[in-house]
Amino acid sequence: MNANDTRLFHVNVSIVHPEYFFIAGLTGVPYSHYYYIFLFCTYIIAVIGNCTVLLIIAFDRSLHSPKYIAVFNLALADFGETNALIPNMMRTFVFESQYISYNACLANMFFVFFFNTTQCFTLVVLAYDRFVAICLPLRYHTIVTNTVISLMCSAIWAFNAFLMALTMYFISRLSMCKSNVIQSFFCDHGPVYRLGCNDNSINFFIAKLNTSLYLIAPLMLIMLSYLGIFLALSKITTLEGRLKALKTCVSHLLLVTSLFLPIICIYLIASTTYLSPNARIISASLAYATPPMLNPIIYVLNTAEIKLLIRKVFKNSCLSS
């Protein structure tokens, strides 16, 4: 290899990273600050609600059961996602600090997607819990144990951390020489990797892989579990018995709907028609921000054990005062 070839080789493998990215956010929308303040209100509710669920499950030994270990992990993922997303949005847009350093951008991307993907698969664990409870009630306590659910949740956290770290690695292999403007409300994977001016086919593949793993696969597994549940319910002779068994699934079904339905709608609309950048940002930000706010409310309102415990706490506080 001569000197010219060596020089050409170094040019080809050099990777250009911008010092900063510029988060575009909503553009040309009057009073957009009020929308970000609304998202901040959802953040406050999400933090209070998820902290309440985490503390109740942690300190009440009667809730140290497989189902509530999964609920604890879901609340932890909700708490993590909302903290990774919304405070950074407030700093970016309300305080007009739309520049973010390259490393901070990758960290923001990692944590938002890490916690969001953990939410998706934790709902699969809860679906598994309901499937065994209804389809194999006599064997439930031998199949679904605290150890089994803890191992499943730990595997989800570890696998998601690995895959998100791999995603960040391939982002770091891109030369960002097209632009440093991210057309989103945070360091979103798609808008960032499209800024690369070298081959981004592996990033495109990872984007599709993540969609398949964390949107299509969880939904398919949840749908299969409920197919088994409905078949088991059809064998129950009394309507009262069916409704009683189905009632235990209401909270989970609401959680699945609040998380997956907005994302599916965004994908379907974006694939069939043109979505303006502002419409995409508003719909995506709501899809990310509302489930962490709704999940603790759904579980508190639909779980008798948690409602009873909260009543006891309020009653004791009133008596002591």
Side-chain angles (χ1 to χ4, degrees):
M1 183 182 289
N2 58 36
N4 288 335
D5 291 334
T6 304
R7 204 162 40 246
L8 181 61
F9 176 78
H10 284 300
V11 170
N12 286 339
V13 298
S14 63
I15 298 171
V16 179
H17 291 162
E19 188 176 356
Y20 293 96
F21 284 111
F22 182 84
I23 311 292
L26 295 172
T27 54
V29 178
Y31 309 112
S32 59
H33 280 44
Y34 291 111
Y35 177 68
Y36 296 120
I37 291 170
F38 161 73
L39 289 181
F40 185 70
C41 293
T42 69
Y43 165 75
I44 296 296
I45 297 169
V47 168
I48 293 172
N50 284 294
C51 283
T52 301
V53 171
L54 288 169
L55 290 172
I56 287 172
I57 295 173
F59 290 107
D60 186 3
R61 295 187 64 84
S62 67
L63 297 179
H64 293 182
S65 62
K67 176 185 174 182
Y68 289 106
I69 289 173
V71 172
F72 183 90
N73 276 269
L74 180 64
L76 193 60
D78 286 340
F79 180 81
E81 193 223 341
T82 197
N83 275 288
L85 185 67
I86 297 180
N88 199 57
M89 285 177 59
M90 297 299 293
R91 180 190 65 81
T92 301
F93 300 116
V94 175
F95 300 104
E96 297 181 349
S97 177
Q98 290 174 258
Y99 285 96
I100 183 171
S101 70
Y102 179 84
N103 290 331
C105 182
L106 262 62
N108 177 240
M109 187 190 302
F110 174 88
F111 284 111
V112 170
F113 285 110
F114 171 62
F115 288 118
N116 183 254
T117 53
T118 302
Q119 289 172 328
C120 297
F121 264 113
T122 305
L123 290 178
V124 176
V125 175
L126 284 165
Y128 169 74
D129 172 83
R130 291 300 84 206
F131 172 80
V132 178
I134 293 172
C135 298
L136 303 167
L138 298 178
R139 298 176 58 194
Y140 175 79
H141 293 291
T142 57
I143 297 174
V144 183
T145 63
N146 287 1
T147 303
V148 168
I149 296 297
S150 297
L151 287 173
M152 290 174 71
C153 291
S154 298
I156 288 169
W157 287 86
F159 177 75
N160 289 350
F162 167 76
L163 196 56
M164 291 307 112
L166 191 67
T167 303
M168 298 310 107
Y169 169 77
F170 284 112
I171 285 286
S172 71
R173 306 310 297 167
L174 290 175
S175 285
M176 306 292 181
C177 49
K178 286 184 180 178
S179 172
N180 70 334
V181 178
I182 300 173
Q183 297 293 338
S184 187
F185 59 101
F186 74 107
C187 286
D188 200 350
H189 180 253
V192 170
Y193 87 74
R194 293 188 189 99
L195 297 177
C197 52
N198 54 340
D199 182 22
N200 63 6
S201 57
I202 186 67
N203 304 91
F204 175 79
F205 170 76
I206 287 177
K208 297 302 179 185
L209 176 66
N210 286 342
T211 301
S212 300
L213 278 175
Y214 297 115
L215 181 61
I216 299 171
L219 268 177
M220 292 297 292
L221 290 170
I222 290 169
M223 287 171 66
L224 286 172
S225 69
Y226 274 97
L227 179 62
I229 287 170
F230 290 136
L231 287 173
L233 291 177
S234 67
K235 296 175 183 177
I236 298 175
T237 54
T238 63
L239 179 62
E240 184 183 354
R242 292 177 188 175
L243 292 175
K244 186 178 179 181
L246 190 60
K247 189 178 178 181
T248 64
C249 301
V250 170
S251 296
H252 181 254
L253 286 170
L254 289 172
L255 296 179
V256 171
T257 302
S258 70
L259 181 64
F260 287 107
L261 186 62
I263 300 173
I264 292 170
C265 290
I266 292 169
Y267 269 96
L268 290 175
I269 294 170
S271 61
T272 56
T273 185
Y274 171 74
L275 263 183
S276 68
N278 286 338
R280 189 168 63 250
I281 286 170
I282 290 173
S283 56
S285 59
L286 286 173
Y288 277 104
T290 51
M293 176 189 70
L294 293 175
N295 290 352
I297 296 172
I298 289 168
Y299 256 102
V300 167
L301 293 179
N302 288 281
T303 305
E305 297 95 333
I306 294 179
K307 284 195 291 187
L308 182 62
L309 190 63
I310 291 174
R311 286 197 198 102
K312 284 182 180 178
V313 170
F314 275 111
K315 186 177 179 181
N316 291 335
S317 62
C318 290
L319 289 174
S320 60
S321 62

